[in-house]
Amino acid sequence: MSVTPSMLTARLPAPVPLDEQASCPVSEVFQRIGDRWTVLVLVLLNQRPHRYNELHRAMEGLSRRMLTRTLRALERDGLVARTVFPTVPPGVEYELTELGRGLLVPLSALSDWAVGTATRIERNRAEFDARP
């Protein structure tokens, strides 16, 4: 017996009200994972806890300001935990929470789909761009 994904059976009003779209939990999660750095931070933290500077060095092109914003947003959502160690200067370590590890399951499925369809998508883009 196959189960139809809930996204395919959801009934949406027409038109979808802007306030409903903005407050939709699905839209909020997609906005969070759709930024440039979030998924990479989650994948790195899945390997092991990292200190701030380790994360910064692990991602080429990521500014300190953007790393701070990304980590704060993930911490606010409860996906990442921040631990401060009483050292001089204070050490700070970030790790995934149970909620964050749970998000990696559907992200992995999406990643597998993206890798498996990348060639097809590129071919479709080339065909589209070649249209008169």
Side-chain angles (χ1 to χ4, degrees), residues 66-78:
M66 185 53 67
L67 177 56
T68 298
R69 288 179 64 188
T70 300
L71 288 168
R72 283 186 182 159
L74 291 169
E75 185 181 6
R76 182 174 182 247
D77 288 347

Side-chain angles (χ1 to χ4, degrees), residues 10-57:
R11 296 204 181 270
L12 298 175
V16 177
L18 190 58
D19 62 334
E20 281 188 35
Q21 188 178 357
S23 65
C24 174
V26 176
S27 295
E28 290 179 6
V29 169
F30 283 170
Q31 286 174 353
R32 170 71 55 238
I33 64 171
D35 73 49
R36 185 172 181 183
W37 302 107
T38 294
V39 172
L40 185 54
V41 168
L42 292 172
V43 170
L44 286 169
L45 291 178
N46 185 55
Q47 296 171 356
R48 63 177 175 77
H50 282 71
R51 300 225 177 209
Y52 180 90
N53 285 329
E54 288 179 302
L55 283 172
H56 186 253
R57 286 190 302 269

